[in-house]
């Protein structure tokens, strides 16, 4: 968040692992270990931890890693979904937007918020293929990609799930939204 480090995924040793690069010294450190598949790193607002997706239980789940001086404490955050992925913190640093699929037989992917202190989950969407959530800089809305009438569109939902709308697009497939940062 302060622009001094970059988290990334590299398959340097045969499996995707998360690395952190110090942009001032150019030092590159691997923070997860093979042979697990660890991807989709996203910083906490305070820059002290990273959330990421891992298959270490056999299905994609979300984990948080505290980045200490030379140690990396990992904690599993999701337990109640068949697959959880694409996590990103809201600006409050306590709530996490993510994509979840539940139960196992369902082909549906929804956008949800997980409070990492209480583990309470609020599912915000109910369409069948919701993905790529992006949080507004003020933390009030989440834009995401979904399907409508056979093509990709962008929808938005408030973090309490009460306001939902579709962004206008008249042609083509629209995917992968990303809010710009907030500047004073």
């Amino acid at each position: 968040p302060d622009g001094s480090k970059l988290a990334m995924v590299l398959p340097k040793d045969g499996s995707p692992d998360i690395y952190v690069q110090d942009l001032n010294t150019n030092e590159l450190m691997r923070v997860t270990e093979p042979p697990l598949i660890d991807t989709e790193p996203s910083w906490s607002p305070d820059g002290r931890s990273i959330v990421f997706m891992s298959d270490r239980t056999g299905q994609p789940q979300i984990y948080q890693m505290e980045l200490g001086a030379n140690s990396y404490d990992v904690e599993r955050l999701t337990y109640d979904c068949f697959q959880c992925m694409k996590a990103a913190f809201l600006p409050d640093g306590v709530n996490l937007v993510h994509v979840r699929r539940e139960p196992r037989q369902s082909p549906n992917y929804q956008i949800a918020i997980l409070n990492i202190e209480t583990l309470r989950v609020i599912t915000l969407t109910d369409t069948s293929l919701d993905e790529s959530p992006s949080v507004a800089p003020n933390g009030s809305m989440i834009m995401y990609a979904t399907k409508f009438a056979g093509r990709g569109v962008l929808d938005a939902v408030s973090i309490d799930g009460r306001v939902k709308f579709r962004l206008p697009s008249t042609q083509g497939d629209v995917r992968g939204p990303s809010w710009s940062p907030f500047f004073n």
Side-chain angles (χ1 to χ4, degrees):
D2 67 2
S4 67
K5 293 184 175 144
L6 179 66
M8 66 190 84
V9 176
L10 297 171
K12 290 177 71 165
D13 295 317
S15 67
D17 286 302
I18 297 174
Y19 288 76
V20 173
Q21 183 174 12
D22 185 313
L23 298 177
N24 295 319
T25 65
N26 218 24
E27 180 185 8
L28 184 67
M29 294 183 345
R30 183 175 64 203
V31 297
T32 60
E33 295 294 326
L36 307 169
I37 296 174
D38 299 318
T39 63
E40 303 173 354
S42 181
W43 290 99
S44 63
D46 64 8
R48 294 183 183 156
S49 66
I50 292 174
V51 290
F52 63 97
M53 188 278 298
S54 179
D55 75 341
R56 52 189 73 195
T57 61
Q59 292 295 329
Q61 297 295 326
I62 299 169
Y63 293 79
Q64 183 174 16
M65 175 184 294
E66 297 291 330
L67 300 175
N70 289 319
S71 65
Y72 310 112
D73 294 327
V74 176
E75 176 186 6
R76 182 175 170 181
L77 298 178
T78 55
Y79 289 92
D80 65 333
C81 58
F82 179 60
Q83 295 177 336
C84 286
M85 59 208 92
K86 296 284 185 185
F89 277 100
L90 272 66
D92 64 11
V94 174
N95 290 292
L96 198 65
V97 64
H98 64 286
V99 175
R100 62 192 295 117
R101 177 179 164 209
E102 56 182 310
R104 173 183 283 228
Q105 300 85 357
S106 173
N108 296 343
Y109 290 86
Q110 281 96 26
I111 306 300
I113 292 182
L114 166 69
N115 181 301
I116 64 168
E117 292 176 352
T118 65
L119 300 182
R120 180 177 178 229
V121 174
I122 300 170
T123 302
L124 301 175
T125 66
D126 57 6
T127 44
S128 64
L129 188 56
D130 303 334
E131 60 185 6
S132 303
S134 179
V135 180
N138 66 5
S140 65
M141 297 293 293
I142 299 165
M143 191 180 334
Y144 60 97
T146 191
K147 289 277 190 181
F148 179 75
R151 64 184 187 90
V153 296
L154 297 182
D155 281 5
V157 62
S158 60
I159 61 166
D160 62 6
R162 293 181 182 170
V163 176
K164 296 179 183 179
F165 60 90
R166 177 155 297 125
L167 278 72
S169 63
T170 57
Q171 50 187 285
D173 276 327
V174 184
R175 313 294 311 151
S178 180
W179 289 90
S180 66
F182 176 75
F183 296 104
N184 289 332

